[in-house]
Amino acid sequence: MSLTNFFYPDSVAVIGASREKEKVGHQVLASIIEGGYEGDVFPVNPGAEELEGLKCYPSVGEIDSTPDLAVIVLPAKLVPSVMEQCARQRIKAAVIISAGFKEVGDEGQRLEKQVVKIARRGNMRIIGPNCLGLLVPGHKFNASFGGELPEPGEIAYISQSGALLTSILDMAKSNDVGFSKLVSVGNKADVDELDILESFGSDSETQVIAGYLESIDDGNSFARLSEKISVEKPILLIKSGRTASGAKAASSHTGSLSGSETAYECLFKRSGVIRCNSIIEQFALAQVFAYQPLPQGERVAVITNAGGPGIMATDAVEEQGLTFAQLSQKTMDALRSELPSASNVNNPVDVLGDALSDRYHFALKTLLGDPGVDTVVVLLTPQSMTDCEGTAKAIADASQSVPEKPIFACFMGGDKVSKAVDLLRKARIPNFDSPLGAISAAKTVVDYVRWKQRPQRVVKLFPVHRNKVEKIINRYQRRKQREISEMDSKEILEAYGFVTPKGSIATTAEQAANMADQIGYPVVLKIWSPDILHKSDVGGVKLGLVNRQQVMDAFDLMMLRVPRKEPEAQIRGVLVQEMCREGREVILGMQRDPNFGPLMMFGMGGIFVEVMKDVAFYLAPLTAEEARMMLKSTRTFQMLKGARGEEAVDINAIAEGLQRLSQLATEFPQIEELDINPYVVMREGVTPIAVDARMSVNVEGDK
Amino acid sequence: MSLTNFFYPDSVAVIGASREKEKVGHQVLASIIEGGYEGDVFPVNPGAEELEGLKCYPSVGEIDSTPDLAVIVLPAKLVPSVMEQCARQRIKAAVIISAGFKEVGDEGQRLEKQVVKIARRGNMRIIGPNCLGLLVPGHKFNASFGGELPEPGEIAYISQSGALLTSILDMAKSNDVGFSKLVSVGNKADVDELDILESFGSDSETQVIAGYLESIDDGNSFARLSEKISVEKPILLIKSGRTASGAKAASSHTGSLSGSETAYECLFKRSGVIRCNSIIEQFALAQVFAYQPLPQGERVAVITNAGGPGIMATDAVEEQGLTFAQLSQKTMDALRSELPSASNVNNPVDVLGDALSDRYHFALKTLLGDPGVDTVVVLLTPQSMTDCEGTAKAIADASQSVPEKPIFACFMGGDKVSKAVDLLRKARIPNFDSPLGAISAAKTVVDYVRWKQRPQRVVKLFPVHRNKVEKIINRYQRRKQREISEMDSKEILEAYGFVTPKGSIATTAEQAANMADQIGYPVVLKIWSPDILHKSDVGGVKLGLVNRQQVMDAFDLMMLRVPRKEPEAQIRGVLVQEMCREGREVILGMQRDPNFGPLMMFGMGGIFVEVMKDVAFYLAPLTAEEARMMLKSTRTFQMLKGARGEEAVDINAIAEGLQRLSQLATEFPQIEELDINPYVVMREGVTPIAVDARMSVNVEGDK
């Protein structure tokens, strides 16, 4: 869907245009005219003949052509009838600036629905209502009351807060930030963040997308779209309302550890969206992405004219997890031959306090030429000999001659560096007020590059027994029973390829016999202990038991004899089933977010999972890489891969478990949450066991 | 020690003053004169009759009075002889700006030592060498080559980087930040950070102390002094060189988890020092502390003219761990009676987009009057009706009439808000460019207030057997043996009141008997299992065993009978000693930092302590409150206090263990590192057991 009529109208009707300066109807008309809009403008107001030197129309129906766009600035209750007129006039796009709709309550909500209905019938699109309008600097088009048109630029902005847009426009002007488009989406009655994002994505004038959002209405579509767009154009979002969701009841570990914030974090991580905490940070990053090339890697070199800032940059590189570039011998020789002998020719390169621009220029060009350097950060303090402006020019020159490597500047000071900072800005070299600021930005860019280079997402589909699961779930839903019993939960898991210890652990001989009855004979009894590796050696395995008596005898003998041979072993009971072994306990889980779908969880298992919080989340469906990434992001992973002499467990088997669970959650949207805890994992080649599981489904009557 | 001669000299000799503009000797003299210094200035240069209109002296000896201060700007090799002249002239203070000393290598080091020797002999103090000088705006005294004298103000600054001071001075000017004193300490040959800190602490013109340090040479003295001063004056430090210490070999868990960064963090936490990451952040906080009162508590109220920034502030309050103020009914009624009906009279209070200054003024005064509000944050976006400057004035007025509560502003924009921001600055209302920035600053202030209100530090001294420990340690040191054996480590711990399971766990009857032999009869045997609470009930306790045979019989019977009654219990063996019970495993540890002394550690015990990293550090000596605070800062604490139906353990007993260990580490500086892992803790009233311990001492030949 194209929003061309909104962004590039050849003619626009301003319905509700006014002569009174304090009225929004005046401000919008004045903004359009003052912005230098070159298309036709039709003010509509039955009470005026002429406005701002333009012929004024009593109604939109009186205009003898069809405007591409209507901008409506009327009291809410008048909007439906005006929309009818617009539809009759075959206008295809309307920006409804007027407030008084959904945001004021039920009556407004009704009015808003009515307006949307009229638009749908007339095949019209709406931006708003309750918005600030939109601005397209390159088209000299300012249909807003937010402020002056900024300079044209590569950054497109979407804001769910109109008022914030006034701050953004004002800050942009002071910071020389240019925009391709700015849209205030208001109540998102029709055009929403997805439409805007899609149009920004395909917009040739836009290279970077930024935005302020309070809600994302269709999480899955947003995930798909933003992931597609992020590959080409970085998306920088402020997402507020972190705490809005409040507490919710959760019956699983996974549920109690997740939440809508977790879902947003997962969404952004997967789709490469870069989250910002403030508009200042967002502007800085937007400029970095718009003006500088992407680095090839994470190796940073630093040039400084003072030790202190050099040390601060070194600290920041370490803290941010970037790599300090190891300069080549050739680079160091070159630096040594040209710089004064007291200079440091290792990274960070210190050109000394009396450095003029020539030393900076030489050092910068030399570092840019080193194949082991991906990004250069140039620090400057305004000492008595320092040539701030000359150095800015030297950086600009070096950047032009080696345009393929990013350069960040950090000129630390006030008046003494301000002209130099202006020069840097004109040369599109991002400048930061602290070494940490520059290095943090470099880190964000490196993370984005890593995300872009991630392996292609291939979600493996395992052969499973969907019918079996379908039947069990239907049974519970028919009975309006949310909680699936442990037995049935394990049936479901088995249908998806998990191994479960049917009947789990018996602690008395009679219990063991009952379990064996349930499972059906013959059964195997195995002592259940994480401390015993070779069960047969200690009499801990009995195969082929065919009746109750045999099971009870085997149980009693096992419980008598095994502790004699292994007095230190932790014995939890006896496992009655086909196969099972000792191992480590982890948790696999899923919590369905109402907006984003299944959130998969992996973590340290056991009863303290909520306390230790050593868990990782990701959105389903999971690829093998994503599952492994989840594992690696926990501290538990260090144990699993065999720390401190412990045997490593089968990492790929755990990842496969997560993928299977992800498939189950994806194929059965009825499942609300589930935990496998503990999921007992063993050495490579041994199938893990889902020892305990809980699962719940949604039932009729749920919202 | 007073540094009065440095900060308030009535006369100053500039030795090495020069006519040549690019020379530092000229810049320093010019700075003194241009700063408007009102005392006598004696330029010293044998080659000039007159400099800058002042009589020039061929040597300091020719001056017919004794200057209070000498500023030396000569090549390094000339400095010793000039210092001799100064001493003869009875000059008591010298700022040596010249470089070429310790920082350039051995020869410079030698020269520096020589200079210090001369000073000591002459009872002189030195700032520098290799520094930028010092500035005292209130005294119109600028003995530096760093830039113009800033405005007088409440902030004192110490910088270990001269070049950084040029940035600081330049930024200060652009940001209207005033200073009481600024000192570049250079090589710290004599006057060091402690001297400066002490003089800032007792300086009536200084209310806030800020600084940039790369090293702290005497950690213990710094800790004591900064803690004393912080109570009166907040200390804001940038401490760089985080990564300088590099890797070190450590034989304990504690050692491998600590490091000099950990020590600095502990030092700052204890002494109330506020760590900053950038000069911009430091300036903002310095102004907050200098200009605004301290809040009574952590309850924040927000006023906004737009929803978006209000939500951003709400998020920030939650993230930073502050409390959103619950407004009183009276406050809400008052707001409702005066504000438009669409306004939100809950916190955050929304005065709406068309608010002029009167609504802001009313809302602000009302919130300041609510006893449930400790800090007010005022947000503003420059919408078309917004009166930015009027609102700034309204805030200034409200602040004057309720001076006891802090107000932070966040006027978001560029040119439209810049005049208002100037007004705020003049009224000493801190302004931030994002809601998160304002709330983060509020959090820092609240943390400082909490620190100030901490209970008085009372370090309990336990009665212990020092002689016993002394003897053991001496024995190891004589043998030059670093690692104390487990047995001796436990002896030491016992001397400090710890209970250890002598001979620990036996897994065979013969082993048990051997242990009993070692311990001496009678002994107690107890089944060693974390799963069995009532040992007697299951035959798990045998008292008063008096010989090998009894011990072996008791062992075999216990290992036979207990598993029958408790088949699920994890049995680790049998404990041979006086008393011991089941419990949870934690780790207590100590690592001696060469600079800061003993760093105490608490954490989750077991072999995975390094993997889980759920540990807390603090500097010895520990008070009971500090020990409990360490416990509480770990996730493990949630388990210990009885999460998920598990019985709580004796928290105070763990805290006491930490205090005893702290006393041991404090009284025996020979101990380099130690771990008690696991330290087995049980329910209240049961003494914990140091099951395993390792300890090492320094031996001759160590550096």
Side-chain angles (χ1 to χ4, degrees), chain A residues 31-71:
Chain A
S31 294
I32 293 175
I33 293 166
E34 284 160 18
Y37 177 60
E38 289 163 354
D40 295 324
V41 184
F42 308 107
V44 176
N45 182 336
E49 291 280 306
E50 169 273 324
L51 280 174
E52 302 289 309
L54 294 171
K55 182 184 171 189
C56 189
Y57 297 80
S59 78
V60 74
E62 304 286 319
I63 302 170
D64 46 15
S65 65
T66 299
D68 287 342
L69 176 68
V71 180

Side-chain angles (χ1 to χ4, degrees), chain A residues 27 145-147 161 163-164 166-167 170-171 173-174 212 214 238-243 253 277-280 306-309 311-312 314-315 318-319 380-384 412-417 433-434 436 507 559-560 563-564 567-572 584 604 607-608 610-614 635 638-639 643-644 646, chain B residues 27 145-147 161 163-164 166-167 170-171 173-174 212 214 238-243 253 277-280 306-309 311-312 314-315 318-319 380-384 412-417 433-434 436 507 559-560 563-564 567-573 584 604 607-608 610-612 614 635 638-639 643-644 646:
Chain A
Q27 289 163 20
F145 64 109
S161 162
L164 203 67
T166 65
S167 290
D170 197 28
M171 284 160 124
K173 207 178 150 201
S174 314
Y212 168 83
E214 290 168 3
I238 299 173
K239 162 67 183 69
S240 76
R242 295 178 183 228
T243 57
H253 289 297
N277 288 307
S278 71
I279 293 166
I280 295 286
I311 299 174
M312 292 166 88
T314 310
D315 285 351
E318 171 108 343
E319 276 164 41
L380 176 143
T381 54
Q383 302 177 55
S384 53
M412 302 170 78
D415 290 348
K416 284 187 188 169
V417 303
D433 54 23
S434 70
L436 179 60
T507 56
M559 293 308 283
L560 175 72
R564 279 193 194 155
E568 286 192 324
Q570 173 190 1
I571 294 169
R572 295 188 175 170
R584 299 208 153 268
M604 187 174 82
I607 61 167
F608 290 120
E610 274 120 335
V611 170
M612 296 312 289
K613 291 193 176 70
D614 186 29
R635 293 182 300 276
Q638 300 301 319
M639 301 192 195
R644 294 185 64 96
E646 297 277 315
Chain B
Q27 289 164 20
F145 65 108
S161 162
L164 203 66
T166 65
S167 290
D170 197 28
M171 283 159 124
K173 206 178 150 199
S174 315
Y212 168 81
E214 290 168 3
I238 299 172
K239 162 67 183 70
S240 75
R242 295 179 182 227
T243 55
H253 289 298
N277 288 307
S278 70
I279 293 167
I280 294 288
I311 300 174
M312 292 166 90
T314 311
D315 287 349
E318 170 107 346
E319 276 164 40
L380 176 144
T381 55
Q383 301 177 54
S384 54
M412 303 170 77
D415 290 347
K416 284 185 186 170
V417 302
D433 54 22
S434 71
L436 179 60
T507 56
M559 293 308 283
L560 176 72
R564 279 193 193 153
E568 286 192 328
Q570 174 192 358
I571 294 170
R572 293 186 178 170
R584 297 204 158 270
M604 186 174 84
I607 61 165
F608 291 119
E610 274 119 336
V611 171
M612 297 311 288
D614 186 29
R635 293 183 301 276
Q638 300 301 319
M639 299 190 195
R644 295 186 63 98
E646 297 277 315

Side-chain angles (χ1 to χ4, degrees), chain B residues 88-106:
Chain B
R88 274 198 299 275
Q89 191 77 348
R90 291 165 199 257
I91 292 175
K92 293 298 169 216
V95 176
I96 305 177
I97 288 179
S98 325
F101 291 88
K102 192 170 69 183
E103 79 281 7
V104 297
D106 292 344

Side-chain angles (χ1 to χ4, degrees), chain B residues 151-214:
Chain B
E151 291 299 303
E154 294 86 347
I155 304 162
Y157 207 100
I158 171 175
S159 178
Q160 200 172 337
S161 162
L164 203 66
L165 209 56
T166 65
S167 290
I168 289 167
L169 287 170
D170 197 28
M171 283 159 124
K173 206 178 150 199
S174 315
N175 290 282
D176 276 343
V177 180
F179 289 94
S180 59
K181 279 148 196 80
L182 298 107
V183 183
S184 161
V185 289
N187 290 1
K188 306 193 285 191
D190 172 30
V191 169
D192 62 10
E193 64 275 12
L194 288 176
D195 299 310
I196 300 287
L197 205 57
E198 196 172 7
S199 79
F200 286 172
S202 58
D203 176 24
S204 62
E205 294 184 355
T206 297
Q207 280 177 27
V208 177
I209 298 167
Y212 168 81
L213 292 178
E214 290 168 3

